[in-house]
């Protein structure tokens, strides 16, 4: 009797913990091909659009930093209510069609099983690997959120100092090392001139002169049809997930202020030089930090829902 009671109490205590955790291979039984189907969609897109890796990384970051990794970023606004997509910093998040494509394939094979939040996480993992970055196992089992509110979007901006930017990361239990590592995602992709114009319109001693001249020419070509041109964030290998970003900022070739600050600020510069000197170290840490970011405030168990269409909440069931 005593034994039974102890086991029972132990069981009650362990059960919520087990449910509350993501785990690698969550869909092994419910949808065995889930991960390979997501990978196929990413691979197809990458063959014609190398920029999708950057799009997914940014989407994943913006998703996880608003209300946790719950696919709130995917909700379309409608006449009745606006969503995160309407908030300023969303501006240029892209790649939504790729998530739709993967979701469509998954719904055809295993309806209502695989969350949109997990699709973002898996697609980002695959794009990172297919762009030369590390492969890592990602825990899955996230559920999709029921809220997407533009007023909750409060992401760090590119003109912050390192310590200001760190407030946003610390609020998510991420360390300075995690933040510097994750900003290494700026080794792929682009920024619009409006995000760094202040650094090239007046002399900025923290920027390499050659880069400043190049950026002035890119941004000076703005026109009616292209009012806000873009420049690569990594001047050396803009489509490769490598440690070049850290080498470039060491040469004053950071495009946005926050990027350059990482190399200059005593809070972060040793981490930067460590990554610049050791590509393996960056790969290892990047994989770890991505998994950690993907675990921020996730919904699990019976919380939230598995959206059927990533852009809209499921219709409420009538009781
Ligand atoms: C302090 C933190 C961060 C700030 C202030 C920041 C800011 C920005 C800004 C302003 C852009 C340019 C957007 C545009 O012009 O379209 C950008 C691009 C990008 N960001 Fe960040 N970011 C931060 C952290 C991160 C993190 C943690 C990741 C992912 C792990 C990330 C991934 C990217 C990528 C891949 C791009 C290129 C997007 C593209 O080419 O479409 N960023 N970021
Ligand atoms: C950060 O960790 C603390 C202590 O473990 C916890 O209470 C809090 O909910 C965590 N915050 C996030 C955003 O995960
Ligand atoms: C680079 O980092 C890896 C991974 O942490 C480590 O094992 C290795 O010793 C480092 N190499 C050098 C030259 O410091
Ligand atoms: C992708 C997307 O939906 N972007 C939106 C971001 O917010 C602006 C401003 O509200 C909208 O015009 C964009 O359509």
């Amino acid at each position: 009797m005593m034994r039974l009671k102890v086991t029972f109490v132990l069981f009650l205590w362990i059960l919520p913990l087990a449910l509350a955790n993501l785990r690698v291979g969550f869909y092994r039984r419910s949808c065995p091909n889930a991960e390979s189907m997501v990978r196929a969609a990413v691979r197809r897109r990458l063959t014609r659009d190398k920029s999708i890796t950057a799009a997914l990384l940014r989407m994943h970051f913006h998703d996880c930093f608003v209300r946790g990794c719950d696919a709130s970023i995917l909700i379309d606004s409608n006449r009745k209510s606006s969503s995160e997509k309407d908030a300023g910093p969303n501006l240029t998040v892209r790649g939504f069609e790729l998530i739709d494509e993967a979701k469509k394939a998954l719904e055809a094979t295993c309806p209502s099983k695989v969350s949109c939040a997990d699709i973002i996480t898996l697609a980002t993992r695959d794009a990172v690997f297919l762009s030369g970055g590390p492969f890592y196992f990602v825990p899955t089992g996230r559920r999709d959120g029921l809220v997407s509110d533009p007023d909750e979007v409060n992401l760090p901006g590119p003109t912050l100092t390192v310590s200001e930017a760190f407030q946003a990361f610390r609020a998510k239990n991420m360390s300075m090392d995690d933040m510097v590592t994750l900003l290494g995602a700026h080794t792929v992709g682009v920024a619009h001139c409006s995000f760094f114009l202040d650094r090239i319109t007046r002399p900025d001693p923290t920027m390499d002169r050659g880069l400043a001249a190049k950026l002035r020419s890119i941004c000076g070509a703005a026109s009616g049809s292209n009012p806000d041109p873009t420049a690569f964030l990594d001047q050396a290998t803009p489509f490769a997930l490598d440690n070049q970003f850290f080498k470039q900022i060491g040469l004053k070739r950071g495009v946005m202020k926050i990027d350059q600050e990482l190399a200059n600020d005593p809070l972060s510069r040793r981490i930067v030089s460590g990554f610049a000197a050791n590509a393996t170290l960056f790969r290892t840490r990047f994989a770890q930090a991505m998994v950690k970011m993907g675990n921020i405030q996730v919904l699990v168990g019976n919380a939230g829902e598995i959206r059927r269409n990533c852009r809209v909440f499921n219709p409420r069931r009538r009781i």
Side-chain angles (χ1 to χ4, degrees):
M1 194 60 198
M2 192 57 196
R3 173 98 159 263
L4 200 77
K5 198 169 159 192
V6 169
T7 323
F8 185 66
V9 167
L10 210 69
F11 178 73
L12 279 185
W13 182 72
I14 284 173
L15 189 68
L17 276 185
L19 287 178
N21 280 324
L22 303 178
R23 63 173 193 273
V24 172
F26 182 86
Y27 297 111
R28 207 167 322 200
R29 276 157 77 190
S30 58
C31 189
N33 293 327
E35 298 205 12
S36 56
M37 288 168 79
V38 172
R39 182 155 330 135
V42 173
R43 207 188 284 275
R44 267 195 307 277
R45 175 71 180 261
L46 258 178
T47 56
R48 62 182 165 81
D49 176 12
K50 283 190 294 178
S51 79
I52 193 67
T53 305
L56 288 169
L57 276 161
R58 188 159 143 86
M59 180 194 291
H60 194 27
F61 167 54
H62 282 215
D63 187 32
C64 295
F65 266 67
V66 178
R67 348 177 11 103
C69 318
D70 67 347
S72 52
I73 193 172
L74 301 181
I75 294 293
D76 280 341
S77 50
N78 57 35
R79 268 175 296 116
K80 284 198 211 127
S81 67
S82 51
S83 69
E84 282 177 26
K85 284 182 183 174
D86 287 325
N90 88 57
L91 287 164
T92 46
V93 176
R94 31 188 205 98
F96 299 110
E97 348 59 56
L98 170 62
I99 304 297
D100 292 338
E101 191 189 324
K103 181 62 174 173
K104 205 172 152 197
L106 288 163
E107 286 300 296
T109 321
C110 13
S112 296
K113 287 284 186 270
V114 183
S115 69
C116 300
D118 277 343
I119 297 175
I120 299 177
T121 314
L122 291 167
T124 306
R125 182 272 304 268
D126 294 332
V128 163
F129 175 64
L130 294 169
S131 302
F135 180 83
Y136 50 93
F137 291 98
V138 284
T140 43
R142 292 168 191 76
R143 309 261 302 172
D144 298 323
L146 302 172
V147 177
S148 179
D149 179 353
D151 295 337
E152 288 186 5
V153 179
N154 180 21
L155 290 152
T159 56
L160 296 182
T161 64
V162 172
S163 91
E164 287 164 348
F166 182 54
Q167 306 305 314
F169 284 75
R170 197 175 50 189
K172 307 286 179 195
N173 289 337
M174 308 288 278
S175 66
M176 178 60 77
D177 198 286
D178 292 328
M179 178 175 102
V180 177
T181 307
L182 288 171
L183 270 157
H186 289 172
T187 188
V188 291
V190 297
H192 289 78
C193 290
S194 50
F195 287 115
F196 57 83
L197 214 52
D198 52 322
R199 299 191 67 212
I200 56 173
T201 42
R202 52 190 144 83
D204 183 334
T206 66
M207 188 185 284
D208 167 71
R209 284 172 178 217
L211 175 63
K214 182 175 165 187
L215 296 177
R216 272 194 289 271
S217 122
I218 290 172
C219 299
S223 67
S225 62
N226 186 13
D228 196 2
T230 60
F232 289 127
L233 289 167
D234 170 355
Q235 301 306 305
T237 54
F239 295 105
L241 207 301
D242 58 13
N243 69 338
Q244 267 297 333
F245 169 77
F246 296 103
K247 296 189 185 182
Q248 294 294 312
I249 59 178
L251 299 168
K252 298 187 170 185
R253 291 195 199 130
V255 172
M256 296 190 292
K257 176 167 176 270
I258 183 65
D259 294 346
Q260 192 54 56
E261 288 282 305
L262 292 178
N264 302 348
D265 195 307
L267 290 169
S268 50
R269 67 183 177 213
R270 264 183 300 275
I271 307 171
V272 167
S273 54
F275 288 151
N278 188 338
T280 312
L281 178 65
F282 172 61
R283 290 172 70 83
T284 312
R285 283 290 298 125
F286 190 69
Q288 291 166 343
M290 286 296 290
V291 169
K292 192 167 170 187
M293 184 173 87
N295 290 351
I296 294 174
Q297 292 164 307
V298 290
L299 299 172
V300 289
N302 294 320
E305 64 182 9
I306 305 291
R307 257 178 241 154
R308 291 195 279 276
N309 172 351
C310 293
R311 293 174 183 264
V312 292
F313 302 118
N314 291 343
R316 295 288 104 220
R317 259 174 302 167
R318 290 192 204 169
I319 311 161

